[in-house]
Amino acid sequence: MKKTVTKKKDTRSWKRSVVKAITYRCFIMILDFTAIKLFTGSTNVAGGFVIVSNVYTTVAYFLHERIWQRVKWGTA
């Protein structure tokens, strides 16, 4: 008797990717702001950089995570 396996959409991995992306970006924003403030002495420059870079790098990280979710290489 052949057992059929139904593929269920795993929403936990999607939600996990979102939370990982957000927490990672918060950490990086603090590091970026601190480094740029130290180098430039300007809070405005540091803040502006953090805002702009946060948008595109968060999207990039999320997409990267989702692509790797589909890669089977290195998994058991």
Side-chain angles (χ1 to χ4, degrees):
M1 177 182 271
K2 189 175 181 181
K3 198 175 192 180
T4 55
V5 178
T6 57
K7 197 169 188 178
K8 184 178 170 185
K9 186 176 179 180
D10 189 1
T11 57
R12 288 185 320 177
S13 70
W14 183 85
K15 290 176 186 176
R16 180 179 169 86
S17 294
V18 170
V19 171
K20 282 175 67 177
I22 290 169
T23 57
Y24 174 79
R25 287 312 310 156
C26 288
F27 181 66
I28 294 303
M29 284 172 48
I30 292 166
L31 293 177
D32 284 348
F33 181 86
T34 303
I36 294 166
K37 170 76 170 145
L38 289 172
F39 286 126
T40 66
S42 173
T43 302
N44 289 339
V45 170
F49 176 83
V50 167
I51 290 168
V52 170
S53 70
N54 186 49
V55 172
Y56 67 82
T57 54
T58 300
V59 171
Y61 178 83
F62 177 79
L63 293 173
H64 181 261
E65 177 75 14
R66 298 312 297 160
I67 290 166
W68 270 99
Q69 187 72 23
R70 295 174 184 261
V71 173
K72 300 301 179 203
W73 175 77
T75 60

